[in-house]
Amino acid sequence: MKLTLSVIKADIGSIGGHIAPSEALLEAVRSHVREHGRELIIDNYISHTGDDIAILMTHTHGLSHEGVHKLAWDAFLAGTEMARQQGLYGAGQDLLKDAFSGNVRGMGPAVAEMEFEERPNEPFLFFAADKTDPGAFNLPLYLAFADAMNTPGLILSPKMAKGFRFVIMDVSHTEGDRVIELNAPEEIYDIAALLRDTERYVVESVWSRATGEQAAAVATSRLHNIAGKYTGKDDPVMLVRVQMNFPATGEVLAPYAIGHFVAGCMRGSHQMPLMPVGLNCGTSYFDGPPLVSCAAFAMHGGKLTEPLDAFAHPFWDTVRNRVADKALEMRRQGFFGAAMLPMSELEYTGIMEKLQALEGRFTVRR
Ligand code: F6R
Ligand code: MG
Ligand code: MG
């Protein structure tokens, strides 16, 4: 059976600044999908990570389907209405366009979708990150799909030993989707050369070279390209199919033990370590730290099991403690050097005006 997994997410308002959506807001989104999705989708799971609400849907309509996208868009509109009624902060903030036109790409919400022939058993992972951007998944995907030090399956499984194809997008290109396809293992140095530049090059998808099947899909939208100015970090979502010809769940999760530094956190303008957290977790310290959640599912005929919280296991408590230590260490140097992002990535443009004003006060000594 050919199935599509679609996850569409948006920040449409939060309690206490940018911490988390309210229960009423989540319920407004859920009840819209329940009422209007009946004929359209097979199943859904609605959750939040930090201040972002994600609608995960299973259906048979393929990618970028107008009805499916409109269902999510309208659910976010219904949620925004509730956010306004409750006086939540940033009500409707990611809904950048007034009228729906065909699909939500380019309208503000982030989208990750995959269409595939469902396996007899279909384990997959749904990741959502907040207070960071899509490049946050570059390192974990590289390690999971291209590095035998992380993924023994690349040595032990004959199908996986054929390697994976990475589709990488240049997200700074605004006139269209500028992409490159590179094969691991032959081209891992080329892949690495691109993926180190997380603000420009982002993994969009990963494919098995043995079977041609898609393994991963990442939301690659950059809001500032849509709005024409910086409007915030594009808290990304990602779908990863696991096991058999793909990396095992544990191989895909393992890289998150690093707590690698990513762009985002306070005012979207810092470098802070990515903390793996439980499902439906809010933000806290320094409007962060940047967080990533993972819901693991099995699926049959598009019907989802309950989600398992992949980062709830006690192992991740140690990781969280280490990430908190890293975050505190970085914050000791405040605005200085590597703690803050380069000029081009700062979420607030006020500093440009400040520098402009100082220009006139410079003098050149003779
Ligand atoms: C970062 C983020 C927050 C806000 C901060 C200030 O992506 O959402 O760190 O930037 O809370 O918010 P404003 O400027 O809305 O008061
Ligand atoms: Mg927000
Ligand atoms: Mg967010």
Side-chain angles (χ1 to χ4, degrees), residues 297-342:
F297 288 96
M299 165 169 106
H300 190 68
K303 271 275 168 208
L304 298 169
T305 58
E306 71 273 28
L308 282 193
D309 191 340
F311 292 133
H313 188 279
F315 170 83
W316 297 98
D317 293 338
T318 301
V319 171
R320 283 188 272 273
N321 288 337
R322 286 186 47 240
V323 172
D325 285 342
K326 270 175 96 163
L328 290 167
E329 206 51 50
M330 183 60 115
R331 285 311 309 142
R332 289 181 64 198
Q333 70 177 61
F335 65 83
F336 206 80
M340 231 184 185
L341 288 174

Side-chain angles (χ1 to χ4, degrees), residues 1 31 48 59 63 79 88 116 122 153 192 207 209 262 264 273 281 283 302 316 348 352 354 360:
M1 183 178 188
S31 76
H48 79 89
H59 58 93
L63 309 180
L88 299 189
F116 52 84
E122 187 57 65
W207 303 74
R209 292 173 68 195
V262 297
C281 177
T283 60
W316 297 98
Y348 292 72
M352 309 298 176
K354 192 182 297 301

Side-chain angles (χ1 to χ4, degrees), residues 11 14 18 51-52 93-94 130-131 235:
D11 176 352
S14 292
H18 294 271
D51 56 12
D52 297 297
Q93 76 161 47
D94 281 357
D130 185 33
K131 299 290 182 273
D235 311 325

Side-chain angles (χ1 to χ4, degrees), residues 12 16 18-19 37 45-46 48 73 84 100 151 172 187 208 257 272 274-275 280 293 296 306-307:
I12 50 169
H18 294 271
I19 296 180
Y45 167 68
I46 294 170
H48 79 89
W73 178 260
R84 292 217 170 92
F100 181 83
T151 301
S172 70
E187 299 176 299
S208 162
M272 286 284 269
L274 185 65
M275 184 182 277
N280 301 305
S293 67
E306 71 273 28

Side-chain angles (χ1 to χ4, degrees), residues 199-221:
E199 304 313 299
R200 173 145 190 205
Y201 300 109
V202 172
V203 178
E204 181 202 51
S205 56
V206 184
W207 303 74
S208 162
R209 292 173 68 195
T211 66
E213 286 178 290
Q214 186 167 3
V218 186
T220 51
S221 68

Side-chain angles (χ1 to χ4, degrees), residues 92 109 118 132 140 189 227 242 250 322 326 333 343:
E118 194 187 61
T132 184
Y189 296 159
V242 289
R322 286 186 47 240
K326 270 175 96 163
Q333 70 177 61
M343 280 307 202

